[in-house]
Amino acid sequence: QVQLVESGGGSVQSGGSLRLSCAASRTTVNNYCMAWFRQVPGKGREGVAGSRSDGAATYADSVKDRFTISRDNARNTLILEMNNLEPEDTGMYYCAADKSYSTCFQQFERGSLEYWGQGTQVTVSS
């Protein structure tokens, strides 16, 4: 089983930047499909960015060219660099992981990864 703990959330003004981290424990996630999701109260969960174990990545259209997903395999950690933040980026950000490879991005689109963290709050003010 994988335990995921997110950190790095906070409050910033529009145009600012944040760096989210997701530390995995109990197993090495280098070969896992991993992703970031976000949710706003009253709205459904939205996939933000996905990372396949071979380094391929996918992004929601709303965050392309502003967010970058990466892995620090030495630290068993998933990173999300968020730049030029907008108020619409406000939400609870969750890290997720799954053993899938070939279906990684399909599972990202469905939000059906197996392991989830507790989330870290991001608030962007205008």
Side-chain angles (χ1 to χ4, degrees), residues 35-38 45-51 57-69 80 86 88-89 93 105 108-109:
W36 289 97
F37 294 82
R38 65 187 180 193
R45 186 173 55 199
E46 175 190 20
V48 175
S51 170
T58 187
Y59 296 90
D61 288 342
S62 60
V63 307
K64 279 180 182 176
D65 301 323
R66 298 189 297 122
F67 290 12
T68 303
I69 190 171
L80 185 68
E86 303 168 352
E88 293 74 20
D89 295 317
Y93 282 68
F105 292 158
F108 166 74
E109 292 296 331

Side-chain angles (χ1 to χ4, degrees), residues 36-100:
W36 289 97
F37 294 82
R38 65 187 180 193
Q39 188 164 20
V40 177
K43 292 187 178 181
R45 186 173 55 199
E46 175 190 20
V48 175
S51 170
R52 201 169 60 193
S53 59
D54 63 353
T58 187
Y59 296 90
D61 288 342
S62 60
V63 307
K64 279 180 182 176
D65 301 323
R66 298 189 297 122
F67 290 12
T68 303
I69 190 171
S70 63
R71 298 173 182 244
D72 184 343
N73 288 333
R75 291 179 170 83
N76 214 28
T77 297
L78 182 71
I79 306 294
L80 185 68
E81 300 276 2
M82 306 188 295
N83 297 311
N84 195 19
L85 283 160
E86 303 168 352
E88 293 74 20
D89 295 317
T90 294
M92 185 70 77
Y93 282 68
Y94 298 93
C95 172
D98 193 276
K99 292 180 181 178
S100 62

Side-chain angles (χ1 to χ4, degrees), residues 4-10 18-23 36 77-80 82 93-95 117-122:
L4 303 170
V5 178
E6 302 94 335
S7 62
L18 283 173
R19 184 176 190 264
L20 304 185
S21 296
C22 170
W36 289 97
T77 297
L78 182 71
I79 306 294
L80 185 68
M82 306 188 295
Y93 282 68
Y94 298 93
C95 172
Q118 294 300 306
T120 185
Q121 177 68 35
V122 171

